[in-house]
């Protein structure tokens, strides 16, 4: 009887463990999910949104096949901004549950916008170009998408594969497997014990018969028609085994195929920086390379490739002045590309957008780079020398970025018009200006220029002098600081007018003004115009702190004789 029970347990355990192992092999976790597509809709651009790339939260690899392949990586909003109204195809993920397959869905977008070559755009954080194929591994951050194209004119690559490498998951042993193994062990142990007992009985029989013991006679009972107890026990044990295996088959864990339940990463709730530091370094190096080449030949037209706004105007007039010198030591002020001491990107999804950087080692420069629209490159918009002994305000981390403010905002203590009025009065009146309550006059630029104006007034006693300071038409740049204030970069025009008091008198000038004028003075009067690129820290509205001038560069623009 015990032997049959042991055999039943062993067989039941063997069947249960085998069933559990088979189920485990059949439902082993996937190590990767692959979606391959041969696209049908003709298009110049393919857009893969972050929701597609992060459908499965695992490292993803995208490969495109074609004669020439460009894969560009950027924020979703930046890619859509670059595409604009141009026709393109957006790719989405769809699940074929019956075939257990992830498939690519094509959605035509856009209208009849202009086509352009996306190669080399300042918008891309990563750009991969290949002949025949190209592969990229974008990050999974909920905002990074891909643009796939050829050259912006020819059709985009048609063959595409996306592979998600799933993380190795620990294999969970099904309860039926553990129970089956336990039954195997119990059955084997019981069979072993039964074998030992049987062996001992067999040995005693071989030793010899023992003297018969007197037993109490039993009453004879008829066995006719009685069932055989051994066979019934066997039948019951095997029936119990089959029932147990049937019940244990339900102890198999339900397997959830990750392919059937994609879960894209949600987009960030706040705006992120529009430019990374690696992007900014590359952009600045390209800009400085163009400027250095233009400086060598004093070519004003070539500057337009990567210089705009106040920086372009100042640089052109600087070239005009340098040409008047025969000596080679008079060179334009160099723009420093490295090292980058401070990098403040904008956290925005609109245009235009601006970057503030501090570069150099000993003589630091404040640079403002500006991008007017998505398909245009960043240009040097404004630059100024960082003034000595100033306290630079705390700005946001490059991983967070700063908010861009519009010129008509009400978040600051003063507007850009008031800034120009305050600077002008401080230059004209010096320490006696009432604007010293609003703006700190203790900086090198205001002191130096104010000193020059006082010196002219004291020297040219035979002339009437007027010093005017006006805000230029170029749009100011404003990026917020940690204290709620902002960095404000603007362009101011300073006009010095010198007119003799009496007919026949003449006024004399020297230096760069005399070089541009072509003479050392004039009997009718002189007008000199200067361009001043200024960068301020303006406190938040309601603050009791004063405005601080952080950087300044003044350039002589023109010097003309009046009345001629």
């Amino acid at each position: 009887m015990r032997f049959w029970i042991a055999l039943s347990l062993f067989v039941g355990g063997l069947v249960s463990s085998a069933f559990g192992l088979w189920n485990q092999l059949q439902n082993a976790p996937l190590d990767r999910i692959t979606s391959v597509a041969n696209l049908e809709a003709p298009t110049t651009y393919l857009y893969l949104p972050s929701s597609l790339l992060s459908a499965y939260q695992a490292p993803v690899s995208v490969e495109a096949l074609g004669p020439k392949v460009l894969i560009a990586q950027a924020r979703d909003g930046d890619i859509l901004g670059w595409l604009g109204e141009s026709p393109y195809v957006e790719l989405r993920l769809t699940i074929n549950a019956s075939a257990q397959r992830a498939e690519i869905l094509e959605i035509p977008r856009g209208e009849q916008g202009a086509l352009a070559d996306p190669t080399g755009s300042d918008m891309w954080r990563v750009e991969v170009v290949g002949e025949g194929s190209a592969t990229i591994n974008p990050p999974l951050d909920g905002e990074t998408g891909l643009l796939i194209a050829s050259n912006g004119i020819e059709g985009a690559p048609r063959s595409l594969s996306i592979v998600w490498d799933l993380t190795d998951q620990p294999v969970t042993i099904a309860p039926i497997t553990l129970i089956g193994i336990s039954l195997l062990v119990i059955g084997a142990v019981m069979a072993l014990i039964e074998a030992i007992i049987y062996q001992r009985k067999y040995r005693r029989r071989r030793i010899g018969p023992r003297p018969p013991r007197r037993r109490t006679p039993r009453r004879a009972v008829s066995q006719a028609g009685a069932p055989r107890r051994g066979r019934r026990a066997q039948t019951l044990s095997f029936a119990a085994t089959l029932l147990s295996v049937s019940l244990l088959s339900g102890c198999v864990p339900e397997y959830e195929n990750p392919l059937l339940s994609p879960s894209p990463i949600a987009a960030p709730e706040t705006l992120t920086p529009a430019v990374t530091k690696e992007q900014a370094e590359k952009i600045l190096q390209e800009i400085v390379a163009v400027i250095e080449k233009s400086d060598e030949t004093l070519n004003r037209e070539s500057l337009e490739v990567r210089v705009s706004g106040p920086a372009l105007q100042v640089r052109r007039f600087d070239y005009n002045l340098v040409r008047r010198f025969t000596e080679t030591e008079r060179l334009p002020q160099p723009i420093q590309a490295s090292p980058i001491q401070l990098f403040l990107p904008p956290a925005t999804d609109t245009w235009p957008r601006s970057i503030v950087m501090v570069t150099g080692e000993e003589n630091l420069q404040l640079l403002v780079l500006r991008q007017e629209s998505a398909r245009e490159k960043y240009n040097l918009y404004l630059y100024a020398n960082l003034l000595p002994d100033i306290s630079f305000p705390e700005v946001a981390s490059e991983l967070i970025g700063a908010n861009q403010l519009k010129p008509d905002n009400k978040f600051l203590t003063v507007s850009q018009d008031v800034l120009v009025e305050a600077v002008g009065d401080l230059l004209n009146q010096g320490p006696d200006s009432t604007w010293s309550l609003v703006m700190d006059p203790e900086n090198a630029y205001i002191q130096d220029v104010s000193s020059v104006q006082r010196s002219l007034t004291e020297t040219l006693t035979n002339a009437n002098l007027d010093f005017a300071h006006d805000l230029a038409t170029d749009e100011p740049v404003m990026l917020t600081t940690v204290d709620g204030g902002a960095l404000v970069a603007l362009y101011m025009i300073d006009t010095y007018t010198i007119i003799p008091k009496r007919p026949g008198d003449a006024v004399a000038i020297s230096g760069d003004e005399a070089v541009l004028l072509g003479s050392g003075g004039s009997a009718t009067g002189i007008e000199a115009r200067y361009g001043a690129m200024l960068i301020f820290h303006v406190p938040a509205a309601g603050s009791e702190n004063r405005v601080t001038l952080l950087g300044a560069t003044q350039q002589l623009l023109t010097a003309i004789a009046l009345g001629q």
Side-chain angles (χ1 to χ4, degrees), residues 192-493:
L192 179 61
I193 294 173
E194 184 65 20
I196 294 174
I197 294 173
Y198 178 79
Q199 182 68 17
R200 288 178 178 175
K201 289 181 177 179
Y202 178 73
R203 285 181 179 177
R204 286 198 296 266
R205 290 174 184 173
R206 294 184 60 184
I207 293 173
R210 294 183 180 180
R213 291 187 298 176
R214 188 173 181 178
R215 297 183 181 180
T216 304
R218 296 183 180 179
R219 185 175 56 181
V221 180
S222 174
Q223 299 295 322
R228 296 183 180 180
R229 198 174 289 178
R231 288 187 178 181
R232 184 168 58 183
Q234 295 174 27
T235 304
L236 291 174
S237 63
F238 278 110
T241 300
L242 292 176
L243 180 60
S244 301
V245 171
S246 300
L247 294 175
L248 290 175
S249 63
C251 298
V252 177
E254 183 178 354
Y255 174 69
E256 295 182 3
N257 190 341
L259 184 145
L260 302 178
S261 54
S263 55
I265 298 176
E269 296 181 357
T270 58
L271 291 172
T272 57
V275 183
T276 65
K277 190 172 184 178
E278 291 74 16
Q279 276 181 278
E281 290 174 345
K282 177 177 176 292
I283 291 169
L284 184 56
Q285 289 171 0
E286 292 176 355
I287 291 174
V288 171
V290 170
I291 294 175
E292 289 177 346
K293 187 175 182 179
S294 299
D295 288 351
E296 293 175 359
T297 59
L298 301 180
N299 189 334
R300 295 184 298 177
E301 284 70 26
S302 63
L303 277 176
E304 295 181 5
V305 178
R306 298 308 296 263
V307 184
S308 63
L312 179 61
Q313 184 181 40
V314 167
R315 206 75 178 175
R316 282 179 166 178
F317 281 107
D318 196 13
Y319 284 1
N320 185 42
L321 180 61
V322 171
R323 287 194 185 94
R324 306 296 181 95
F325 287 85
T326 57
E327 300 179 1
T328 57
E329 66 268 9
R330 183 67 167 83
L331 298 174
Q333 179 184 357
I335 304 299
Q336 304 176 82
S338 63
I340 297 177
Q341 306 287 358
L342 179 142
F343 167 58
L344 182 61
T348 182
D349 56 0
T350 61
W351 283 269
R353 52 182 58 168
S354 303
I355 305 170
V356 173
M357 308 172 76
V358 176
T359 62
E361 292 182 331
E362 295 182 359
N363 300 318
L364 300 181
Q365 287 181 323
L366 275 164
L367 308 179
V368 178
L369 310 184
R370 185 176 175 92
Q371 185 185 38
E372 296 295 338
S373 65
R375 291 193 178 182
E376 294 185 59
K377 288 184 174 291
Y378 278 91
N379 290 339
L380 178 63
Y381 185 75
L382 187 146
Y383 60 92
N385 297 324
L386 190 68
L387 299 179
D389 302 324
I390 57 98
S391 178
F392 203 92
E394 184 180 358
V395 297
S397 162
E398 62 191 52
L399 302 178
I400 299 176
N403 294 325
Q404 291 190 153
L405 300 180
K406 295 182 178 180
D408 59 352
N409 77 88
K410 305 299 182 183
F411 304 122
L412 305 178
T413 54
V414 295
S415 66
Q416 62 271 15
D417 296 319
V418 175
L419 283 176
V420 171
E421 183 179 354
V423 171
D425 198 72
L426 286 170
L427 293 177
N428 295 343
Q429 302 297 328
D432 298 331
S433 172
T434 57
W435 284 103
S436 60
L437 299 175
V438 177
M439 180 179 297
D440 186 1
E442 300 298 325
N443 64 75
Y445 176 76
I446 290 180
Q447 292 174 353
D448 291 348
V449 176
S450 180
S451 175
V452 170
Q453 292 185 184
R454 286 197 306 271
S455 177
L456 289 173
T457 303
E458 294 171 357
T459 303
L460 300 175
T461 55
N462 64 333
N464 294 317
L465 283 79
D466 179 72
F467 305 105
H469 310 280
D470 303 297
L471 180 66
T473 58
D474 301 89
E475 184 178 351
V477 172
M478 301 181 180
L479 289 176
T480 57
T481 55
V482 172
D483 60 2
L487 300 178
V488 178
L490 55 80
Y491 185 47
M492 186 172 73
I493 302 298

Side-chain angles (χ1 to χ4, degrees), residues 462-464 498-507 522-526 562:
N462 64 333
N464 294 317
I498 307 173
I499 300 176
K501 292 180 178 180
R502 294 183 297 272
D505 288 349
V507 291
S522 172
T524 57
I526 298 171
L562 299 174

